[in-house]
């Protein structure tokens, strides 16, 4: 089973890519990143409750958001939601 307790405090997937201007392309990229993160969580046999996202514009303005859930998650579908 998946462990909620671990020495690791965070796990992330970051990618730099060309500027995306349309919502469908952004959603596709986000789904891909969620799939990569879910695979990493699976490899480490861990799950988590806080999910965050960081977006950086072409002018290097950074926007971050995070949410802490009531339950532990580890699947691509849960991360994407």
């Amino acid at each position: 089973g998946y462990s909620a307790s671990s020495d690791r405090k965070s796990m992330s997937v970051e990618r730099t890519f060309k500027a995306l201007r349309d919502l469908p392309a952004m959603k596709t990229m986000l789904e891909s990143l969620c799939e990569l993160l879910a695979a990493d969580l699976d490899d480490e046999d861990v799950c988590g409750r806080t999910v965050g996202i960081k977006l950086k514009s072409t002018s290097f303005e950074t926007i971050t958001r995070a949410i802490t859930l009531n339950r532990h998650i580890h699947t691509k579908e849960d991360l994407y939601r």
Side-chain angles (χ1 to χ4, degrees):
Y2 286 88
S3 172
S5 62
S6 172
D7 291 336
R8 181 187 287 269
K9 297 297 180 196
S10 67
M11 187 175 286
S12 67
V13 176
E14 292 187 28
R15 297 292 183 273
T16 301
F17 43 88
K18 67 178 181 172
L20 298 175
R21 301 197 190 291
D22 65 291
L23 189 57
M26 290 179 197
K27 287 182 175 182
T28 298
M29 180 58 67
L30 180 58
E31 190 170 1
S32 174
L33 294 173
C34 289
E35 189 170 347
L36 292 170
L37 182 55
D40 289 346
L41 291 168
D42 190 50
D43 288 347
E44 296 287 329
D45 200 28
V46 295
C47 57
R49 288 183 34 216
T50 301
V51 178
I53 187 167
K54 177 172 66 173
L55 301 173
K56 192 176 289 187
S57 71
T58 55
S59 63
F60 297 101
E61 176 186 1
T62 302
I63 300 169
T64 59
R65 297 291 183 268
I67 186 170
T68 299
L69 306 167
N70 292 326
R71 63 186 181 91
H72 288 91
I73 62 170
H74 61 90
T75 66
K76 172 183 80 169
E77 294 79 14
D78 283 339
L79 291 166
Y80 185 77
R81 268 189 227 126

